[in-house]
């Protein structure tokens, strides 16, 4: 009898349990078919020369991979147009130890994005993203900078997508 209740309980739990959870195709207006991304402007000193272009490509890739919206080269055709400015790129010491020696450094990036929405009705939203990643101060920044920027970019891209789809 005990095994029968156990079997029925397991069957009920497994039949009600979700088999798949996905956030890849968020809900947004069905009028959104195309988007464009203007290469972001770099106003931050000391930023790697290719950083603005790399972040722009990351945004394009993420929107294409996580939604059914397609990239277009023509902003006039797009229902969403994304522009951005990198405002700050800095490295600061954190976690100070004895003798004002930093145990870790922080790579910070701040950017502001403007999203022009043309359909279903004209609108505009601004996304401000301030993201950082900490790394060991004994590590040469030149060796880890590209990896650190990938982490920061993933956070910034997620901020854009969250803001874009949370308003709908």
């Amino acid at each position: 009898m005990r095994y029968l209740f156990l079997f029925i309980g397991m069957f009920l739990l497994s039949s009600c349990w979700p088999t798949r959870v996905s956030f890849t195709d968020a809900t947004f207006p069905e009028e959104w078919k195309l988007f464009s991304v203007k290469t972001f402007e770099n106003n931050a000193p000391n930023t790697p020369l290719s950083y603005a272009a790399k972040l722009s490509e990351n945004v394009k890739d993420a929107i294409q991979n996580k939604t059914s919206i397609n990239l277009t080269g023509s902003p006039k055709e797009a229902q969403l147009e994304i522009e951005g400015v990198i405002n700050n790129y800095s490295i600061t010491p954190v976690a100070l130890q004895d003798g004002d020696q930093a145990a870790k450094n922080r790579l910070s990036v701040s950017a502001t994005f403007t999203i022009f929405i043309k359909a279903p009705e004209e609108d505009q939203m601004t996304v401000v993203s301030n993201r950082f990643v900490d790394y060991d101060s004994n590590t040469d920044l030149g060796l880890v900078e590209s990896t650190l920027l990938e982490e920061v970019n993933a956070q910034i891209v997620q901020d854009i997508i969250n803001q874009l789809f949370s308003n709908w």
Side-chain angles (χ1 to χ4, degrees), residues 50-123:
S50 63
Y51 181 64
K54 179 69 175 164
L55 181 57
S56 301
E57 290 302 315
N58 287 352
V59 170
K60 290 176 190 178
D61 291 345
I63 293 175
Q64 288 183 100
N65 292 335
K66 295 182 179 187
T67 71
S68 60
I69 305 173
N70 294 315
L71 179 66
T72 181
S74 171
K76 292 183 180 188
E77 295 176 5
Q79 289 80 38
L80 295 172
E81 193 175 337
I82 302 172
E83 296 179 0
V85 177
I86 300 164
N87 302 314
N88 183 39
Y89 177 94
S90 63
I91 298 163
T92 55
V94 293
L96 294 177
Q97 297 176 335
D98 291 336
D100 290 336
Q101 190 76 359
K104 293 202 174 274
N105 288 332
R106 177 169 289 171
L107 171 67
S108 302
V109 177
S110 298
T112 304
F113 304 95
T114 305
I115 303 171
F116 300 98
I117 302 168
K118 299 177 185 175
E121 58 187 53
E122 287 195 18
D123 197 4

Side-chain angles (χ1 to χ4, degrees), residues 24-60:
T24 57
D25 211 10
T27 58
F28 50 84
E30 61 185 42
E31 292 88 358
W32 292 2
K33 304 289 185 211
L34 300 171
F35 77 98
S36 70
V37 176
K38 182 179 175 185
T39 301
F40 301 144
E41 188 179 328
N42 185 5
N43 288 347
N46 302 325
T47 307
L49 293 176
S50 63
Y51 181 64
K54 179 69 175 164
L55 181 57
S56 301
E57 290 302 315
N58 287 352
V59 170
K60 290 176 190 178

